[in-house]
Amino acid sequence: EVQMVESGGGSVQTGGSLRLSCTGSSGFTFDDSGMVWYRRTPGNDCQLVAILSRNATWFPASVKGRFTASQDSAKTTLYLQMNSLKPEDTAVYYCAPVVMDGNRTCEGKWGQGTQVTVSS
């Protein structure tokens, strides 16, 4: 079973930055599938915040221009760089292969997630 490990969250003030990291469990490589980032808000909304394919990356309007994504050359670690953070970005962030169900991802089915808190 695929398992993901998210890290790098924390508490920052509005306008601050954080870089999240995502790694897969043994037996998984990012070459096997595209990847996605989801976040679960304090109101329990599950929001898609990034889609990473082989040759392109997509962000919704809510984070576009503020978030960027990258991965290491070995494709073992995925990064989400978050700049100009807003209180609306407060959520638990999860990563997962694109083939996995989004709602289950937000429920922590594949990983524990990492908490991001942005205060005014």
Side-chain angles (χ1 to χ4, degrees):
E1 183 77 3
V2 173
Q3 292 183 333
M4 312 304 299
V5 180
E6 300 93 346
S7 62
S11 181
V12 299
Q13 297 190 44
T14 297
S17 298
L18 287 170
R19 187 180 69 169
L20 308 184
S21 298
C22 170
T23 60
S25 61
S26 60
F28 175 84
T29 65
F30 293 164
D31 292 335
D32 296 330
S33 176
M35 300 293 295
V36 295
W37 285 94
Y38 281 90
R39 65 187 184 188
R40 186 180 185 89
T41 71
N44 286 324
D45 291 328
C46 184
Q47 301 175 345
L48 180 64
V49 297
I51 304 174
L52 289 80
S53 65
R54 180 67 175 175
N55 299 311
T57 304
W58 175 89
F59 300 95
S62 58
V63 306
K64 190 174 183 179
R66 300 187 297 116
F67 290 11
T68 58
S70 62
Q71 57 187 352
D72 65 352
S73 59
K75 299 187 181 299
T76 58
T77 305
L78 181 71
Y79 302 99
L80 184 67
Q81 178 68 46
M82 306 184 296
N83 300 321
S84 301
L85 283 164
K86 305 175 180 179
E88 301 83 73
D89 297 317
T90 295
V92 180
Y93 285 72
Y94 301 89
C95 63
V98 70
V99 297
M100 300 300 180
D101 180 78
N103 288 329
R104 290 188 174 183
T105 299
C106 281
E107 294 169 358
K109 178 65 175 180
W110 327 117
Q112 303 304 308
T114 185
Q115 176 72 52
V116 171
T117 302
V118 185
S119 60
S120 300

